[in-house]
Amino acid sequence: INLAMSIAMELDHTVLLVPDFQGAPQVYAGVSQTPGFQDDVRLQSRFQNPSFLAFNQADGSLYVSDSVNNRIRRIQPGAGGRVETVAGTGAAGSLDGSLTAATFNNPQGLALDKSGNDETFQCPSCAWRLTFAHQADTKHRAPIAASRDSHLPG
């Protein structure tokens, strides 16, 4: 999919897509006016104030900082693409650790480095880095750990 322009709609709790910068925006993920948390297929998933997006050209995924849910989520490409949580427990906090143990507090900001090796998630008072590594059985990269990175602006 060519994600020419994608928009996080915080108060609508959705992610919109404007294909090739033409036409009206379409809901790409989430359910309009239905806040919550649910990992599911794109149009049945739930977000609560998605705020920042980053597109991974290597695999076509769109990463979302789901602010009120204190999680980082990934929208997989394709018609049957799913939304999945890649980091954060949902509890507000600032614990380093594995992706299933790390906590965030209203994550804001989201960016890929130029090589696509790390995703950096920033919140108002701290900076975070997710470390990615190649999975043994595929060419895809997968996040393996989350930690504060003191040299990042935050």
Side-chain angles (χ1 to χ4, degrees), residues 119-142:
E119 271 73 22
T120 302
F121 306 102
Q122 296 179 11
C123 64
S125 62
C126 59
W128 296 88
R129 176 175 302 235
L130 291 187
T131 304
F132 279 61
H134 283 286
Q135 295 176 351
D137 58 343
T138 71
K139 294 181 182 178
H140 299 294
R141 297 175 63 78

Side-chain angles (χ1 to χ4, degrees), residues 77-89:
R82 296 187 62 80
V83 174
E84 62 184 347
T85 299
V86 295
T89 65

Side-chain angles (χ1 to χ4, degrees), residues 7-154:
I7 306 164
M9 298 295 293
E10 278 190 278
L11 299 179
D12 191 50
H13 311 291
T14 57
V15 175
L16 301 182
L17 171 70
V18 182
D20 300 319
F21 292 104
Q22 298 175 0
Q26 306 165 9
V27 174
Y28 184 65
V31 177
S32 182
Q33 298 294 310
T34 309
F37 170 76
Q38 183 173 329
D39 286 340
D40 206 328
V41 294
R42 285 194 330 248
L43 295 176
Q44 294 176 13
S45 62
R46 302 283 193 276
F47 296 90
Q48 191 160 356
N49 295 73
S51 55
F52 290 86
L53 306 172
F55 180 65
N56 184 339
Q57 288 185 311
D59 67 5
S61 295
L62 187 63
Y63 288 82
V64 180
S65 56
D66 193 359
S67 298
V68 174
N69 284 320
N70 300 308
R71 291 178 165 99
I72 306 302
R73 319 260 307 274
R74 175 175 47 214
I75 305 171
Q76 298 171 341
R82 296 187 62 80
V83 174
E84 62 184 347
T85 299
V86 295
T89 65
S94 58
L95 294 175
D96 296 349
S98 70
L99 297 175
T100 57
T103 59
F104 301 94
N105 188 2
N106 191 24
Q108 301 287 313
L110 191 58
L112 287 157
D113 72 6
K114 287 184 181 181
S115 64
N117 291 329
D118 296 326
E119 271 73 22
T120 302
F121 306 102
Q122 296 179 11
C123 64
S125 62
C126 59
W128 296 88
R129 176 175 302 235
L130 291 187
T131 304
F132 279 61
H134 283 286
Q135 295 176 351
D137 58 343
T138 71
K139 294 181 182 178
H140 299 294
R141 297 175 63 78
I144 58 171
S147 64
R148 274 188 298 239
D149 190 355
S150 59
H151 74 274
L152 294 171

